[in-house]
Amino acid sequence: MSTPDRAMPPLDADERTSLTSWLDFYRTTLAQKCEGLDDERLREASVEPSPISLLGLIQHMAEVERNWFRRILVQEDAPPIFTPDADPSGHDGGFDLVEGAGYEEALSIWRAEVERARANCAARSLDDTSPFMGGQVTLRWIYTHMIGEYARHCGHADLIRERIDGRTGV
């Protein structure tokens, strides 16, 4: 399954377009870091003692998309996808791999969560709020948080990919 080309976010867009463009830029970057590797290579951990792998990053970001754009933004009761029952929030889940878990399935789930996120955001303004931690969180804050989350994990993905086969950039 190939990843679409990564479009540079526009330099002179309105705030909403800038936020969604940067989020999509990093979403595409993460998928591109995984391209061309088989499941075995995608399961390789970065470096001891960290369990982080490229497959784990895709699973984790599916959980994070679900958490912010479904559980928090629209208050949906969406169960964790890849998180053990011990952590029903799914917030930090997905990094641990289960035997037989494959990339194509994880990628499909992640892409479905991204599409659901886009749909949940479409009718909302950046100033719309949802209850969170005893207060209110705006969609603007969620977008900003997600850009940071993806940027951090794309850095992890870049280092993991370089360790696997020397590929850098993208």
Side-chain angles (χ1 to χ4, degrees):
M1 193 178 291
S2 71
T3 303
D5 288 335
R6 183 176 61 171
M8 176 67 170
L11 301 176
D12 60 351
D14 61 86
E15 182 182 18
R16 175 92 180 222
T17 302
S18 292
L19 291 170
T20 58
S21 296
W22 274 108
L23 183 54
D24 284 339
F25 176 86
Y26 285 120
R27 286 169 169 156
T28 303
T29 299
L30 181 59
Q32 287 179 338
K33 293 295 176 186
C34 299
E35 282 186 341
L37 296 174
D38 62 22
D39 276 9
E40 182 179 339
R41 302 304 304 260
L42 290 163
R43 295 174 68 84
E44 287 184 25
S46 57
V47 65
E48 299 253 343
S50 175
I52 296 176
S53 66
L54 292 170
L55 177 56
L57 287 171
I58 292 291
Q59 290 181 171
H60 173 69
M61 291 314 298
E63 293 284 5
V64 173
E65 291 273 354
R66 178 174 279 214
N67 186 59
W68 284 103
F69 294 115
R70 292 176 67 179
R71 289 187 193 108
I72 295 170
L73 183 65
V74 299
Q75 300 293 295
E76 182 181 336
D77 185 21
I81 311 163
F82 301 105
T83 304
D85 294 335
D87 181 14
S89 73
H91 179 66
D92 288 325
F95 289 118
D96 294 329
L97 304 178
V98 296
E99 192 63 39
Y103 176 67
E104 290 301 324
E105 179 183 7
L107 185 66
S108 178
I109 290 168
W110 172 67
R111 285 183 169 161
E113 290 299 326
V114 167
E115 287 309 311
R116 188 74 173 266
R118 288 183 179 125
N120 286 344
C121 294
R124 290 177 168 74
S125 79
L126 293 176
D127 293 322
D128 284 356
T129 61
S130 297
F132 180 65
M133 295 181 67
Q136 296 290 311
V137 63
T138 64
L139 177 56
R140 175 183 292 104
W141 191 97
I142 293 170
Y143 272 134
T144 303
H145 171 74
M146 290 296 291
I147 291 165
E149 180 89 9
Y150 269 99
R152 179 173 55 253
H153 290 314
C154 283
H156 296 140
D158 195 40
L159 293 171
I160 295 168
R161 182 64 189 250
E162 183 176 9
R163 185 184 157 277
I164 290 171
D165 66 2
R167 182 174 164 202
T168 60
V170 176

PDB file of all heavy atoms in Angstrom, residues 74-94:
ATOM      1  N   VAL A  74     -15.255  14.305  20.541  1.00  0.00           N
ATOM      2  CA  VAL A  74     -16.694  14.056  20.397  1.00  0.00           C
ATOM      3  C   VAL A  74     -17.265  13.194  21.516  1.00  0.00           C
ATOM      4  O   VAL A  74     -18.419  12.785  21.445  1.00  0.00           O
ATOM      5  CB  VAL A  74     -17.038  13.458  19.006  1.00  0.00           C
ATOM      6  CG1 VAL A  74     -16.642  14.418  17.904  1.00  0.00           C
ATOM      7  CG2 VAL A  74     -16.425  12.097  18.800  1.00  0.00           C
ATOM      8  N   GLN A  75     -16.439  12.919  22.543  1.00  0.00           N
ATOM      9  CA  GLN A  75     -16.894  12.182  23.728  1.00  0.00           C
ATOM     10  C   GLN A  75     -17.473  10.812  23.374  1.00  0.00           C
ATOM     11  O   GLN A  75     -18.444  10.354  23.960  1.00  0.00           O
ATOM     12  CB  GLN A  75     -17.913  13.019  24.524  1.00  0.00           C
ATOM     13  CG  GLN A  75     -17.372  14.347  25.012  1.00  0.00           C
ATOM     14  CD  GLN A  75     -16.292  14.165  26.059  1.00  0.00           C
ATOM     15  OE1 GLN A  75     -16.562  13.668  27.136  1.00  0.00           O
ATOM     16  NE2 GLN A  75     -15.072  14.551  25.736  1.00  0.00           N
ATOM     17  N   GLU A  76     -16.872  10.161  22.396  1.00  0.00           N
ATOM     18  CA  GLU A  76     -17.315   8.844  21.964  1.00  0.00           C
ATOM     19  C   GLU A  76     -16.688   7.770  22.858  1.00  0.00           C
ATOM     20  O   GLU A  76     -15.521   7.868  23.237  1.00  0.00           O
ATOM     21  CB  GLU A  76     -16.882   8.622  20.513  1.00  0.00           C
ATOM     22  CG  GLU A  76     -17.314   7.307  19.928  1.00  0.00           C
ATOM     23  CD  GLU A  76     -16.833   7.122  18.492  1.00  0.00           C
ATOM     24  OE1 GLU A  76     -16.564   8.123  17.799  1.00  0.00           O
ATOM     25  OE2 GLU A  76     -16.721   5.959  18.078  1.00  0.00           O
ATOM     26  N   ASP A  77     -17.451   6.758  23.165  1.00  0.00           N
ATOM     27  CA  ASP A  77     -16.945   5.632  23.946  1.00  0.00           C
ATOM     28  C   ASP A  77     -16.295   4.640  22.981  1.00  0.00           C
ATOM     29  O   ASP A  77     -16.916   3.669  22.557  1.00  0.00           O
ATOM     30  CB  ASP A  77     -18.084   4.972  24.729  1.00  0.00           C
ATOM     31  CG  ASP A  77     -17.593   3.868  25.639  1.00  0.00           C
ATOM     32  OD1 ASP A  77     -16.388   3.853  25.978  1.00  0.00           O
ATOM     33  OD2 ASP A  77     -18.408   3.008  26.005  1.00  0.00           O
ATOM     34  N   ALA A  78     -15.054   4.931  22.610  1.00  0.00           N
ATOM     35  CA  ALA A  78     -14.332   4.105  21.643  1.00  0.00           C
ATOM     36  C   ALA A  78     -13.277   3.295  22.399  1.00  0.00           C
ATOM     37  O   ALA A  78     -12.360   3.866  22.979  1.00  0.00           O
ATOM     38  CB  ALA A  78     -13.670   4.982  20.592  1.00  0.00           C
ATOM     39  N   PRO A  79     -13.383   1.984  22.379  1.00  0.00           N
ATOM     40  CA  PRO A  79     -12.424   1.160  23.120  1.00  0.00           C
ATOM     41  C   PRO A  79     -11.032   1.215  22.504  1.00  0.00           C
ATOM     42  O   PRO A  79     -10.881   1.542  21.322  1.00  0.00           O
ATOM     43  CB  PRO A  79     -13.011  -0.247  23.016  1.00  0.00           C
ATOM     44  CG  PRO A  79     -13.814  -0.224  21.768  1.00  0.00           C
ATOM     45  CD  PRO A  79     -14.349   1.178  21.639  1.00  0.00           C
ATOM     46  N   PRO A  80     -10.015   0.888  23.296  1.00  0.00           N
ATOM     47  CA  PRO A  80      -8.660   0.837  22.749  1.00  0.00           C
ATOM     48  C   PRO A  80      -8.556  -0.189  21.631  1.00  0.00           C
ATOM     49  O   PRO A  80      -9.330  -1.148  21.580  1.00  0.00           O
ATOM     50  CB  PRO A  80      -7.803   0.406  23.943  1.00  0.00           C
ATOM     51  CG  PRO A  80      -8.635   0.644  25.148  1.00  0.00           C
ATOM     52  CD  PRO A  80     -10.058   0.566  24.714  1.00  0.00           C
ATOM     53  N   ILE A  81      -7.614   0.018  20.752  1.00  0.00           N
ATOM     54  CA  ILE A  81      -7.414  -0.872  19.620  1.00  0.00           C
ATOM     55  C   ILE A  81      -6.279  -1.861  19.913  1.00  0.00           C
ATOM     56  O   ILE A  81      -6.454  -3.054  19.823  1.00  0.00           O
ATOM     57  CB  ILE A  81      -7.061  -0.071  18.347  1.00  0.00           C
ATOM     58  CG1 ILE A  81      -8.024   1.076  18.137  1.00  0.00           C
ATOM     59  CG2 ILE A  81      -7.019  -0.992  17.135  1.00  0.00           C
ATOM     60  CD1 ILE A  81      -7.525   2.133  17.181  1.00  0.00           C
ATOM     61  N   PHE A  82      -5.121  -1.326  20.255  1.00  0.00           N
ATOM     62  CA  PHE A  82      -3.922  -2.133  20.430  1.00  0.00           C
ATOM     63  C   PHE A  82      -3.435  -2.174  21.877  1.00  0.00           C
ATOM     64  O   PHE A  82      -2.374  -2.708  22.143  1.00  0.00           O
ATOM     65  CB  PHE A  82      -2.776  -1.574  19.568  1.00  0.00           C
ATOM     66  CG  PHE A  82      -3.082  -1.528  18.105  1.00  0.00           C
ATOM     67  CD1 PHE A  82      -3.372  -0.329  17.476  1.00  0.00           C
ATOM     68  CD2 PHE A  82      -3.079  -2.685  17.341  1.00  0.00           C
ATOM     69  CE1 PHE A  82      -3.637  -0.264  16.116  1.00  0.00           C
ATOM     70  CE2 PHE A  82      -3.348  -2.642  15.981  1.00  0.00           C
ATOM     71  CZ  PHE A  82      -3.626  -1.440  15.371  1.00  0.00           C
ATOM     72  N   THR A  83      -4.170  -1.575  22.773  1.00  0.00           N
ATOM     73  CA  THR A  83      -3.740  -1.447  24.155  1.00  0.00           C
ATOM     74  C   THR A  83      -4.256  -2.597  24.998  1.00  0.00           C
ATOM     75  O   THR A  83      -5.420  -2.953  24.890  1.00  0.00           O
ATOM     76  CB  THR A  83      -4.264  -0.109  24.734  1.00  0.00           C
ATOM     77  OG1 THR A  83      -3.811   0.939  23.890  1.00  0.00           O
ATOM     78  CG2 THR A  83      -3.751   0.128  26.127  1.00  0.00           C
ATOM     79  N   PRO A  84      -3.404  -3.155  25.846  1.00  0.00           N
ATOM     80  CA  PRO A  84      -3.877  -4.216  26.743  1.00  0.00           C
ATOM     81  C   PRO A  84      -5.022  -3.730  27.623  1.00  0.00           C
ATOM     82  O   PRO A  84      -5.138  -2.538  27.903  1.00  0.00           O
ATOM     83  CB  PRO A  84      -2.647  -4.544  27.590  1.00  0.00           C
ATOM     84  CG  PRO A  84      -1.487  -3.984  26.848  1.00  0.00           C
ATOM     85  CD  PRO A  84      -2.012  -2.836  26.027  1.00  0.00           C
ATOM     86  N   ASP A  85      -5.840  -4.669  28.063  1.00  0.00           N
ATOM     87  CA  ASP A  85      -6.983  -4.332  28.913  1.00  0.00           C
ATOM     88  C   ASP A  85      -6.577  -3.603  30.185  1.00  0.00           C
ATOM     89  O   ASP A  85      -7.376  -2.900  30.776  1.00  0.00           O
ATOM     90  CB  ASP A  85      -7.764  -5.596  29.284  1.00  0.00           C
ATOM     91  CG  ASP A  85      -8.414  -6.220  28.067  1.00  0.00           C
ATOM     92  OD1 ASP A  85      -8.679  -5.491  27.095  1.00  0.00           O
ATOM     93  OD2 ASP A  85      -8.650  -7.444  28.099  1.00  0.00           O
ATOM     94  N   ALA A  86      -5.329  -3.747  30.603  1.00  0.00           N
ATOM     95  CA  ALA A  86      -4.863  -3.095  31.823  1.00  0.00           C
ATOM     96  C   ALA A  86      -4.897  -1.576  31.698  1.00  0.00           C
ATOM     97  O   ALA A  86      -4.960  -0.872  32.687  1.00  0.00           O
ATOM     98  CB  ALA A  86      -3.449  -3.552  32.154  1.00  0.00           C
ATOM     99  N   ASP A  87      -4.870  -1.045  30.491  1.00  0.00           N
ATOM    100  CA  ASP A  87      -4.905   0.403  30.275  1.00  0.00           C
ATOM    101  C   ASP A  87      -6.033   0.733  29.311  1.00  0.00           C
ATOM    102  O   ASP A  87      -5.800   0.944  28.116  1.00  0.00           O
ATOM    103  CB  ASP A  87      -3.570   0.904  29.726  1.00  0.00           C
ATOM    104  CG  ASP A  87      -3.571   2.420  29.503  1.00  0.00           C
ATOM    105  OD1 ASP A  87      -4.482   3.116  30.003  1.00  0.00           O
ATOM    106  OD2 ASP A  87      -2.668   2.903  28.815  1.00  0.00           O
ATOM    107  N   PRO A  88      -7.281   0.762  29.806  1.00  0.00           N
ATOM    108  CA  PRO A  88      -8.420   0.964  28.914  1.00  0.00           C
ATOM    109  C   PRO A  88      -8.476   2.341  28.256  1.00  0.00           C
ATOM    110  O   PRO A  88      -9.226   2.547  27.322  1.00  0.00           O
ATOM    111  CB  PRO A  88      -9.625   0.731  29.820  1.00  0.00           C
ATOM    112  CG  PRO A  88      -9.129   0.981  31.199  1.00  0.00           C
ATOM    113  CD  PRO A  88      -7.671   0.605  31.195  1.00  0.00           C
ATOM    114  N   SER A  89      -7.674   3.303  28.728  1.00  0.00           N
ATOM    115  CA  SER A  89      -7.693   4.626  28.109  1.00  0.00           C
ATOM    116  C   SER A  89      -7.098   4.586  26.705  1.00  0.00           C
ATOM    117  O   SER A  89      -7.446   5.386  25.847  1.00  0.00           O
ATOM    118  CB  SER A  89      -6.903   5.627  28.953  1.00  0.00           C
ATOM    119  OG  SER A  89      -5.509   5.382  28.843  1.00  0.00           O
ATOM    120  N   GLY A  90      -6.153   3.686  26.482  1.00  0.00           N
ATOM    121  CA  GLY A  90      -5.491   3.621  25.185  1.00  0.00           C
ATOM    122  C   GLY A  90      -4.539   4.771  24.947  1.00  0.00           C
ATOM    123  O   GLY A  90      -3.879   4.837  23.918  1.00  0.00           O
ATOM    124  N   HIS A  91      -4.430   5.690  25.903  1.00  0.00           N
ATOM    125  CA  HIS A  91      -3.675   6.927  25.693  1.00  0.00           C
ATOM    126  C   HIS A  91      -2.228   6.703  25.275  1.00  0.00           C
ATOM    127  O   HIS A  91      -1.759   7.284  24.318  1.00  0.00           O
ATOM    128  CB  HIS A  91      -3.747   7.802  26.943  1.00  0.00           C
ATOM    129  CG  HIS A  91      -2.982   9.070  26.823  1.00  0.00           C
ATOM    130  ND1 HIS A  91      -3.338  10.061  25.940  1.00  0.00           N
ATOM    131  CD2 HIS A  91      -1.865   9.492  27.428  1.00  0.00           C
ATOM    132  CE1 HIS A  91      -2.464  11.052  26.029  1.00  0.00           C
ATOM    133  NE2 HIS A  91      -1.565  10.734  26.928  1.00  0.00           N
ATOM    134  N   ASP A  92      -1.516   5.861  25.998  1.00  0.00           N
ATOM    135  CA  ASP A  92      -0.110   5.638  25.665  1.00  0.00           C
ATOM    136  C   ASP A  92       0.115   4.278  25.036  1.00  0.00           C
ATOM    137  O   ASP A  92       1.227   3.782  24.987  1.00  0.00           O
ATOM    138  CB  ASP A  92       0.757   5.788  26.927  1.00  0.00           C
ATOM    139  CG  ASP A  92       0.857   7.241  27.353  1.00  0.00           C
ATOM    140  OD1 ASP A  92       0.894   8.113  26.479  1.00  0.00           O
ATOM    141  OD2 ASP A  92       0.886   7.491  28.566  1.00  0.00           O
ATOM    142  N   GLY A  93      -0.933   3.665  24.550  1.00  0.00           N
ATOM    143  CA  GLY A  93      -0.838   2.307  24.049  1.00  0.00           C
ATOM    144  C   GLY A  93      -0.373   2.198  22.622  1.00  0.00           C
ATOM    145  O   GLY A  93      -0.138   3.176  21.925  1.00  0.00           O
ATOM    146  N   GLY A  94      -0.255   0.943  22.224  1.00  0.00           N
ATOM    147  CA  GLY A  94       0.075   0.636  20.850  1.00  0.00           C
ATOM    148  C   GLY A  94       1.513   0.269  20.613  1.00  0.00           C
ATOM    149  O   GLY A  94       1.823  -0.363  19.612  1.00  0.00           O
TER     150      GLY A  94
END
